[in-house]
Amino acid sequence: MKLRILKALLRKEVSLMRRNPLIPKMIIGMPLMVMLVLPLVAVLDIKNVNVAVVDNDRSVLSRQIIADIGASEVLKVSAMCNTHTESISIVEEGNADVILTIPPDYSRNIISGIVPVDVEANGVNASKAMLGARYVSESIGLTLRQWLKGQGINTVEYDMSVINIYNPTLNYRNYMIPALMVVLLIIICGFVPALNLVNEKETGTIEAMNVTPVSRMCFVLSKLIPFWIVGIFVVTVGMLIGWVVYGLFPVGNILAIYLATVLFSLVMSGLGVTIANSSSTMLQSIFVMFAFIMIFQLMSGLFTPIRSMPEWAQAITLAIPPRYFIEIMRSLYLKGTPIAELWEQYSALTIFAISFSLIAAVTYRKQS
Amino acid sequence: MKDNEKVISVKNLTKKFGSFTAVDHISFDVGKGEIFGFLGANGAGKTTAMRMLCGLSLPSSGEGRVAGYDIIRQPEEIKRHIGYMSQKFSLYENLRVNENIRLFSIIYGMSDSSMKEASEKLYKDLRMEDMSKTLVKDLPVGWKQKLAFAVATIHRPEIVFLDEPTGGVDPLTRRRFWELIYKASSEGMTIFVTTHYLDEAEYCNRVSIMVDGRISALDSPEALKERFQVSSMDDVFRIVAKDALRVD
């Protein structure tokens, strides 16, 4: 009997959603727009570091160092300066990010012992400065080792090579594509149920429901379940675009991705309904939802790795549901981690999904 | 009135919102099969009182029974036995007529066969046979109100609560609406109706007039007119409500 009521309510939700002038367009249009455009523009890879060189040595070695920097994929020699002051003004004009100063008689002194070169970076763009300085010193290190070898000095002990596994090209895009699907789910499965329920309040149809004997759990479930389907649809569109447009296909199990998607849709729609329960207007619910979405995006490891956050912030992220979903998505997409190794993340999501749905049902009041 | 004839029985029912007392210690009984008019100016507390009877609003104090169930402890039981038509039209505008009927019938636990029977009767009574597939939002206002009434009574409730059911429609449509009310009443339903239209008060078996959250008068229209020595309910209302403080 209860099941029959739930089925009737679900049918009503689907009909209303289909006939809504905006929601179907949003569910189809948003994933397309986000997946087609954002991976191209949200680029964090540091690729064009401009280097201003002050060469006080002017030897074969110093010329080799400069040539090697110029030959690098990520570095570009943008200016050759005679004085340090001159190079500083070039940085201030915005034409260089890193200054490399080679001291006088560098090639002569280096044979007898280690002599430092100066690498200065414009710290205004912190990540570019950090990576740029690292790229420059790596390039110099390589040149030096080869040159010293040529001089008969063995430097094999300094040799190291770095290989990035799982995302071999260190492509930020591959890192972002699974995360963008999480963003889509946060927005669509969070906002739409909230707006849907507040809309029923504003039009007064909720009153017609509240005066019937329909159970709270039944009514709230009818608001949550449609978003399993919406979530699966959004992720499918995202995976298809990722595959066709960017050539990135999940290495891991797709069913495991769908399972996490359903759990996370439940978390977000539960949150949306809870917020709607305590809002009386659309504006109110949108405002509160925005606050949550902002925290979710900044604290879930979406853009900034959780491990580089201060410890107290890392502790807070344990209570942020998208954190677990992002970990699952990235692991499944890039590493192909077996589901059994992600049991902690799946259990966390399950707990969140159950508790958010319950909170949504409990905070829904048929009587004021 | 004997206890077993009462379908609504209320004692000292009160609702406060902060320091504002919307409904102030009202007591009354409604008998089975009655058409009970609930009159009052805007803001007198009619809707608030009705919402408490329907289990939509929890009373601040006082007690009451509706259809044999306690309004504080058994609101969900009450909801099985009543129908309610709110002031604001509240069917789903983006569902078709038949989809709305189906949804509410199933929620009230009607079987497929009784649902089919009830909806056929509804289409015939309202002369809406060819409108079952129309989206509710495309219906004219008068039709919407008739449909809302029919949906509120689809499960043959013992009592139906109507909150200003005829607001904003022309006299002819109002007249037709009251024919529906009489029909439901003749089938044994108790009608509890709030209204602004004092000519409608004449159609009721008994009326109560609320002023500033209290019931100031309660009797049959004839007895009230006699008591105040006037010829219409309009004049009765003027006399009873003249000292009202809560006016727009």
Side-chain angles (χ1 to χ4, degrees), chain A residues 20-34 184 186-193 195 230 233-234:
Chain A
N20 186 294
L22 186 70
I23 290 174
K25 286 179 199 148
M26 189 168 149
I27 291 171
I28 297 169
M30 261 191 56
L32 286 177
M33 208 179 70
V34 167
L184 282 171
I186 289 179
I187 293 175
I188 293 176
C189 295
F191 266 116
V192 180
L195 294 183
V230 170
F233 175 81
V234 167

Side-chain angles (χ1 to χ4, degrees), chain A residues 29-40 173 176-182 184 234-243 245-246 248 333:
Chain A
M30 261 191 56
L32 286 177
M33 208 179 70
V34 167
M35 294 305 296
L36 287 176
V37 177
L38 282 190
L40 300 177
R173 193 184 291 163
M176 281 314 285
I177 284 172
L180 284 175
M181 291 183 211
V182 181
L184 282 171
V234 167
V235 166
T236 307
V237 170
M239 286 197 293
L240 279 176
I241 296 179
W243 180 42
V245 180
Y246 306 106
L248 184 69
Y333 236 89

Side-chain angles (χ1 to χ4, degrees), chain A residues 1 4-5 8 11-12 15-16 19 200 202-205 207-213 366-368, chain B residues 15 51 55-58 76 79 84 88 90-92 94-96 99 102 106-110 112:
Chain A
M1 212 58 189
R4 187 158 168 257
I5 295 176
R11 203 163 149 167
K12 158 213 150 202
S15 301
L16 288 179
R19 288 180 197 143
E200 286 219 28
E202 287 189 345
T203 55
T205 49
E207 191 109 320
M209 280 291 144
N210 287 344
V211 82
T212 68
K366 287 182 76 182
Q367 197 174 26
S368 60
Chain B
K15 179 81 183 189
R51 286 170 54 86
L56 285 172
S57 171
L58 198 66
E76 293 303 296
K79 287 170 187 173
Y84 171 76
K88 202 169 169 187
S90 58
L91 292 180
Y92 289 95
N94 269 329
L95 289 185
R96 299 178 206 286
E99 289 170 337
R102 197 187 141 77
I106 291 178
I107 288 177
Y108 282 111
M110 293 168 70
D112 282 334

